[in-house]
Structures are given as structure tokens and as C-alpha cells.
Amino acid sequence: MDIAGIKQGTKQLVKENILRAEREGRFNDEVLPPDYDAMLPVTDDYEFIPKNLGFVLWSLFVRTVALLGAKPLVHIAFGGRVRGRQNLRGLKGAVLVCNHVHILDNMLVRHAVRGHRLYITVAEFNSMKGILGWILRGAGTLPFSHCFSAMKKMGAAITTLLKKGNFVLFYPEKALWPRYEKPRPFIEGAFHCAVVNDVPLVPVFIRWREPSKLRRLFSKQKVAELHILEPLYIPADQAMPRKEKMQLYMEESFRLMSECAAQD
């Protein structure tokens, strides 16, 4: 079965791929093979924020279902709990960065930031043909592209969304590594986006904890606990070069996530 643009391998194969990539220091590798046959390429005519009435109504329906279903779904799927929601108070327009450790972790983030409209940047192979592609698009996915002009349009769309007070989620580790427990090296895109748009950057980290005695009756797998960490923000009027600010955001995010991962 293929889910969200990824061909589903066996657990053992995924585990072996993670161990190999970890050993070779390739922390942004895809360990689940993308399903390029199902991909709808993102070209320069792709509309990142459709405004036609049909899509607006479809998106409203998908988002409502996702919002109502997020809490029970993540609780059943991986015991999702949320800590640190108070760190979102007063934020209007922010870039979120989160480790990518479950096929449904975006639903946990959606549940965690309820009350804020969330958009999710995804790999191009998550732009899919058929009904699943329309569901993902209606839910607010923003796919990257191999096409330079499409990427420029995506950047402009993200700027518009942030100015309107929305949240935009990035996975700075790039690839999904199921149930991986440590932060992985980041790529720069999310941090560049936060700096050029002069918005706060919110690190979010998903930890894996031992299940309760009751849950262990049904599954011995660890449960997810999402931590919303302290937002990072240096106003644009402070004298700091963009590159330096971006590097600071990236390093501080990684430090905060690493400290969260090391908690007992």
C-alpha cells in the first residue's frame, strides 16, 4: 500500500535503511522509497493558494474533518500528547520546524496548534494524482518543486500566508525516518523563510516515551509526545545580517530539540 507519495516497505527494510544512512552520515536520505509513479509534478503553472469557490469549500470541508479527527486519530495511532501550547500565545504568522518521525505527525502538529491555520510544506512526491492528492492539497500542503519558477511562486505564496497570520510547517530534516528518536541535521530552507519574512520561528519536537500500562495491553510501541518549544525571534530592525540570523535560528532550534530529546 502507498501512502502520501511513499511506497511502504517492510519495517525491517526501513530499519536497515535508517541504520545504513545513520552509519554513513546521510541523515537527510529517504528511507521509505518515494512513489514517483503517483506524483503530479509541480510545474510553473501550479496554483499554491487556489481562490476558486469550489476549492475553498473543499478545503474548508477537509480542514474541518482533519481538525475534528486529529485528536482521536493521533491518540489511537501513536498516543499523541502535547506539551508547551502556551508558547504559541500571541503568535500571528510563524514558521514551525518539526522532526519528521511518523507518516501522521502533521496531524499531531495540527492538533497541537489548533486555533491557528496551518499549512505544511512537503516533498514534491506528495503532490499526487487522484483523490488522495486533492485531500492533501485541501488540507493545506505546499509542495516543493524541481522547477525554479514554481519555487519562486511557492516562496511568494508562503509570504502571503504568513502576512495573513497563518502558520507554515517545515520539516528541516527533509526526510521521514519513522520513530527515530534523535534530532537530525537540518537544511536551511525553513530558517531562511522565517528570516526573510521577519516572523517568529517555533521549534517543535516529537519525543517517543514508554506507553502506559493500559496502552501496553494493546501495543508495546512507544507513544509520541509533542513539545512546542520556546519561539525564536529577532526583529528585522535589529542590526544582524540575514545569514547570521538564519544560522542562529538553525543552531538554537537544534539545541532546543536536542535538550528536549535528552530529557528523562
Side-chain angles (χ1 to χ4, degrees):
M1 181 181 182
D2 299 345
I3 300 176
I6 295 174
K7 290 183 177 178
Q8 300 303 293
T10 65
K11 289 183 180 180
Q12 183 59 32
L13 176 60
V14 171
K15 184 177 180 180
E16 289 172 1
N17 287 344
I18 288 175
L19 290 173
R20 185 182 305 111
E22 187 179 45
R23 184 170 59 248
E24 297 175 3
R26 296 181 286 104
F27 289 98
N28 305 126
D29 276 14
E30 298 289 351
V31 298
L32 287 152
D35 183 9
Y36 293 111
D37 292 336
M39 186 177 81
L40 189 65
V42 179
T43 57
D44 56 6
D45 60 351
Y46 188 90
E47 195 172 2
F48 286 91
I49 315 175
K51 295 183 174 63
N52 66 80
L53 181 60
F55 180 83
V56 170
L57 293 175
W58 169 249
S59 181
L60 177 62
F61 170 73
V62 172
R63 284 181 174 276
T64 301
V65 172
L67 186 61
L68 294 175
K71 184 175 181 178
L73 177 61
V74 299
H75 182 73
I76 293 168
F78 48 91
R81 291 178 289 183
V82 177
R83 300 285 184 268
R85 194 175 274 116
Q86 70 277 3
N87 286 323
L88 299 178
R89 287 176 188 157
L91 290 186
K92 293 183 178 179
V95 168
L96 278 63
V97 290
C98 182
N99 54 327
H100 200 6
V101 292
H102 197 280
I103 195 75
L104 294 175
D105 54 22
N106 69 88
M107 292 292 285
L108 180 52
V109 177
R110 190 183 299 274
H111 166 58
V113 304
R114 63 184 186 275
H116 302 270
R117 192 172 181 84
L118 181 70
Y119 289 82
I120 305 158
T121 61
V122 297
E124 186 172 16
F125 56 76
N126 286 289
S127 171
M128 300 178 67
K129 304 169 185 174
I131 185 61
L132 183 54
W134 275 101
I135 291 172
L136 291 172
R137 195 170 185 186
T141 56
L142 303 169
F144 293 108
S145 175
H146 67 285
C147 173
F148 178 73
S149 57
M151 286 299 295
K152 286 186 67 176
K153 287 179 64 177
M154 180 185 183
I158 289 175
T159 295
T160 298
L161 294 171
L162 291 171
K163 284 181 177 178
K164 290 182 177 180
N166 300 289
F167 284 1
V168 179
L169 172 67
F170 285 78
Y171 293 111
E173 299 169 334
K174 181 178 175 284
L176 166 62
W177 282 24
R179 294 186 172 271
Y180 195 71
E181 297 191 14
K182 297 173 287 186
R184 293 181 278 133
F186 297 155
I187 54 178
E188 295 180 345
F191 310 96
H192 171 79
C193 182
V195 170
V196 299
N197 287 291
D198 190 29
V199 296
L201 185 131
V202 185
V204 175
F205 189 74
I206 298 173
R207 297 179 63 199
W208 294 102
R209 308 290 301 273
E210 292 298 327
S212 66
K213 291 181 180 179
L214 178 60
R215 190 175 180 91
R216 266 199 297 268
L217 296 175
F218 306 96
S219 173
K220 292 182 172 57
Q221 283 194 314
K222 291 184 176 181
V223 296
E225 183 176 83
L226 182 145
H227 291 255
I228 301 171
L229 306 175
E230 183 180 351
L232 305 172
Y233 181 58
I234 302 172
D237 57 6
Q238 291 194 17
M240 178 180 287
R242 280 184 173 180
K243 186 72 175 177
E244 185 178 331
K245 189 190 295 188
M246 184 184 73
Q247 189 67 28
L248 178 62
Y249 280 5
M250 188 158 61
E251 290 174 357
E252 278 297 291
S253 295
F254 192 84
R255 181 186 66 80
L256 290 169
M257 288 187 182
S258 298
E259 289 178 355
C260 185
Q263 292 176 9
D264 292 331

